[in-house]
Amino acid sequence: MDHATQRLREMIAQSGRIAFLGGAGVSTESGIPDFRSENGHYEAIRKFGQLPEVLLSRTFFLRFPEKFYQYYRSALLVTDILPNDAHKALAKMERAGKLTAVITQNIDGLHQAAGSKNVYELHGSIYRNHCMDCGCFFSAKEMQDMEGVPRCNHCGGLIKPDVVLYEEGLEEETLRAAITHIMRADMLIVGGTSLAVHPAAGLVDYYRGSRLVLINKSETPYDERANLILHESIGGVLKAVTEDML
Ligand code: CNA
């Protein structure tokens, strides 16, 4: 185990209320591309002619639902994937009584699939979908089974995934709970996120302690603030530091 990983292990041993804040990089090892890495969704430009930020905006969704759904289905409505070592290690840390909350920008449900119980989905989930007119609920499977633009089978209304699109605000209750966990945390692990999307990135500012750890392959605007930085694979690092937890 290298020096930084050993240091992370010690910091975890000294902490009892750890919060984790993560993003798309947590799921790349499960096979879902992130937005900003080389192989990430900048492919969106090649295939769909627009940045993910445009394709996933509320304006685009309402004006061009067909194109929105083509992109959304190909890039994000993915259910046949499994949690990786990062998701599993975080679930282990929660079971061991070390981790109080997973706060994620991901919408893929993989933390819950790995067994994490206290998960705050800042940007919603592909597993919840509602008709914009009558409010009827639809599962991810039902969304996958519908062709073209998904329409409500009760009233014909447009169905919208409960994911926070660009131009939309975050759900207040989720945001408040996430802030509370971070403020009370004696350690904050941030990983697999470029910390470029606000307000999620700004949550780091609510942590006041001296155990701020960043695990991210590339640099982030918060690197200078961190007490420990690992520019490595998050799955590998978290697996190594939780090896002796049950
Ligand atoms: P991002 O901006 O794409 O950044 C991801 C970061 O993770 C990059 O800085 C990478 O260097 C880093 N990274 C990638 N793989 C690894 C790895 N294995 N180990 C360590 N670091 C890694 O993603 P953010 O989450 O910061 O951006 C915010 C958007 C992307 C959020 O709104 C997400 O909802 C959205 N998104 C979610 C998913 C998903 O649910 N799985 C997938 C793609 C995008």
Side-chain angles (χ1 to χ4, degrees):
M1 191 177 289
D2 63 30
H3 180 72
T5 311
Q6 183 56 36
R7 179 78 196 107
L8 174 59
R9 204 178 160 119
E10 286 161 16
M11 286 164 99
I12 291 172
Q14 290 158 2
S15 309
R17 289 189 319 280
I18 304 170
F20 176 81
L21 172 65
V26 175
S27 293
T28 52
E29 291 168 47
S30 292
I32 308 179
D34 61 15
F35 280 179
R36 288 177 186 81
S37 296
E38 256 173 59
N39 300 321
H41 286 189
Y42 278 114
E43 288 236 347
I45 303 174
R46 271 200 317 135
K47 288 192 194 148
F48 295 86
Q50 305 277 4
L51 285 167
E53 286 85 342
V54 175
L55 295 164
L56 294 173
S57 67
R58 188 173 176 88
T59 305
F60 196 89
F61 170 71
L62 294 174
R63 285 182 66 185
F64 309 107
E66 206 153 300
K67 199 151 191 195
F68 169 90
Y69 270 111
Q70 276 172 12
Y71 173 66
Y72 177 76
R73 282 180 197 288
S74 71
L76 295 166
L77 187 54
V78 189
T79 55
D80 56 348
I81 29 120
L82 296 171
N84 62 51
D85 287 339
H87 301 103
K88 289 180 198 164
L90 290 162
K92 237 186 188 185
M93 284 168 70
E94 185 184 65
R95 281 198 299 276
K98 286 278 179 193
L99 189 88
T100 64
V102 168
I103 299 156
T104 182
Q105 297 165 80
N106 294 348
I107 56 175
D108 54 32
L110 286 178
H111 286 292
Q112 293 90 331
S116 283
K117 303 283 179 232
N118 210 22
V119 181
Y120 296 92
E121 296 172 314
L122 296 170
H123 294 163
S125 170
I126 59 165
Y127 288 94
R128 298 185 295 274
N129 307 275
H130 288 92
C131 168
M132 291 181 84
D133 291 343
C134 73
C136 206
F137 174 88
F138 295 89
S139 67
K141 169 95 177 61
E142 285 172 299
M143 295 291 277
Q144 282 169 328
D145 289 346
M146 284 187 246
E147 277 174 30
V149 176
R151 296 251 164 217
C152 177
N153 51 7
H154 300 278
C155 75
L158 177 62
I159 303 173
K160 181 181 176 294
D162 284 9
V163 300
V164 179
L165 300 178
Y166 289 92
E167 302 165 358
E168 293 180 335
L170 270 57
E171 200 200 314
E172 220 171 280
E173 209 177 302
T174 310
L175 190 57
R176 209 174 308 129
I179 290 172
T180 304
H181 275 287
I182 291 175
M183 286 179 80
R184 290 186 184 154
D186 57 5
M187 176 168 181
L188 177 62
I189 305 177
V190 181
T193 170
S194 60
L195 292 173
V197 176
H198 285 269
L203 287 177
V204 177
D205 294 330
Y206 288 93
Y207 178 68
R208 300 275 172 217
S210 56
R211 294 189 202 115
L212 172 61
V213 179
L214 289 186
I215 310 168
N216 205 61
K217 279 191 176 166
S218 55
E219 288 180 7
T220 80
Y222 285 80
D223 281 14
E224 296 215 335
R225 298 254 301 275
N227 303 102
L228 182 66
I229 302 181
L230 296 98
H231 288 302
E232 289 174 46
S233 140
I234 189 158
V237 170
L238 290 183
K239 185 177 184 191
V241 295
T242 54
E243 239 161 25
D244 45 9
M245 290 182 196
L246 287 178

